[in-house]
């Protein structure tokens, strides 16, 4: 396989991204079930089958276009259903459910870093484009993507997980108004990530708020991988 080709570039980003997104959504559902809401289980969404979670735009089209454009790759899956009315302490429990997604990504990044460290012990001298190089590239991107998704989803605005945390901390009346913004989630996402940075370069929310902590955390994970592989 050509390591400079389109198929290689897309695969080494999309494969780890899909895995990271699926685990992220399943973590939300598992947390909700543990707290008393079995809605995700009833709708058969507690599955690692990507087809149950794929959003045609957020999981396939957008990541593919970003990978081909050599831009930072991100995406989303169909949200796992959670019914706050079935939770014993809705406001607190919804915060915990929201945090389960980013938390799962940080755990996956740790697993990926350990595997990368173990795998790269014997990778030196491996031919570019080989299966070994392909696996190593996927593991590297798996760490980066999981860290990015964790930080990205903690942006304190609806529809991000961080927005649910903010709602849980606000007084109930303000929280209801805050949650109402979620209906504008997708347009807000497009404006914040694509439109606003193109109009005002200094207003790039990813570059200013997400990239610095994500880069620092990713460097820590990769340093761990390097220590394991040494």
């Amino acid at each position: 396989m050509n390591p400079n080709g389109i198929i290689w570039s897309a695969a080494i980003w999309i494969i780890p991204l899909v895995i990271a997104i699926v685990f992220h959504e399943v973590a939300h559902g598992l947390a909700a079930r543990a707290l008393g809401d079995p809605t995700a289980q009833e709708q058969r969404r507690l599955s690692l089958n990507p087809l149950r979670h794929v959003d045609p735009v957020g999981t396939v089209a957008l990541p593919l276009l970003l990978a081909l454009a050599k831009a930072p790759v991100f995406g989303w899956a169909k949200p796992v259903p959670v019914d706050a009315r079935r939770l014993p302490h809705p406001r607190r429990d919804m915060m915990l459910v929201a945090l389960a997604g980013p938390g799962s990504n940080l755990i996956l990044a740790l697993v990926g870093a350990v595997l990368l460290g173990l795998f790269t012990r014997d990778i030196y001298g491996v031919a570019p484009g080989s299966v070994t190089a392909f696996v190593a590239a996927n593991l590297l991107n798996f760490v980066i993507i999981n860290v990015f998704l964790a930080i990205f989803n903690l942006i304190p605005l609806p529809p991000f997980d961080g927005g649910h945390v903010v709602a849980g901390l606000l007084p109930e009346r303000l929280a209801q108004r805050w949650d109402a913004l979620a209906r504008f989630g997708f347009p807000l996402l497009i404006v914040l990530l694509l439109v606003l940075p193109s109009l005002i370069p200094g207003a790039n929310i990813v570059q200013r708020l997400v990239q610095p902590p994500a880069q620092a955390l990713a460097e820590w994970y990769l340093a761990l991988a390097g220590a394991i592989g040494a």
Side-chain angles (χ1 to χ4, degrees):
M1 189 181 295
N2 180 7
N4 297 316
I6 292 175
I7 295 177
W8 175 283
S9 298
I12 63 173
W13 285 106
I14 292 176
I15 291 173
L17 176 66
V18 169
I19 295 172
I21 288 175
V22 168
F23 272 88
H24 179 104
E25 292 302 327
V26 170
H28 285 313
L30 290 174
R33 185 181 67 175
L35 292 167
D37 172 28
T39 303
Q41 182 177 16
E42 292 169 352
Q43 297 188 20
R44 301 178 64 191
R45 291 295 304 280
L46 296 185
S47 169
L48 296 179
N49 180 358
L51 296 179
R52 296 191 183 277
H53 305 280
V54 166
D55 178 281
V57 175
T59 317
V60 181
L62 180 62
L64 179 60
L65 290 173
L66 291 173
L68 295 179
K70 300 187 182 302
V73 175
F74 65 90
W76 59 86
K78 290 188 295 185
V80 164
V82 178
D83 189 346
R85 296 169 298 181
R86 303 177 75 174
L87 297 169
H89 306 285
R91 300 191 66 206
R92 183 205 67 183
D93 293 346
M94 284 300 293
M95 291 174 61
L96 296 175
V97 170
L99 290 172
S104 72
N105 290 127
L106 294 179
I107 293 172
L108 288 175
L110 178 60
V111 172
V114 171
L115 292 176
L116 180 63
L118 294 173
F119 192 75
T120 53
R121 284 180 175 177
D122 302 314
I123 199 174
Y124 299 104
V126 171
S130 66
V131 173
T132 302
F134 181 76
V135 173
N138 269 275
L139 286 172
L140 173 62
N141 290 341
F142 187 67
V143 173
I144 294 170
I145 285 172
N146 273 287
V147 169
F148 182 84
L149 279 179
I151 304 300
F152 182 75
N153 276 282
L154 288 174
I155 293 174
L157 292 170
F160 301 107
D161 295 327
H164 291 296
V165 175
V166 171
L169 296 174
L170 289 173
E172 189 167 355
R173 182 174 298 179
L174 287 177
Q176 291 174 353
R177 295 179 181 176
W178 181 260
D179 284 335
L181 294 175
R183 75 183 72 173
F184 307 109
F186 184 73
L188 181 63
L189 191 65
I190 297 300
V191 170
L192 286 176
L193 301 183
L194 300 176
V195 177
L196 197 59
S198 67
L199 297 176
I200 309 173
N204 190 322
I205 191 172
V206 172
Q207 193 174 62
R208 286 185 170 273
L209 297 182
V210 177
Q211 187 174 330
Q215 182 174 343
L217 194 54
E219 288 175 355
W220 183 87
Y221 279 112
L222 294 178
L224 174 63
I228 293 173

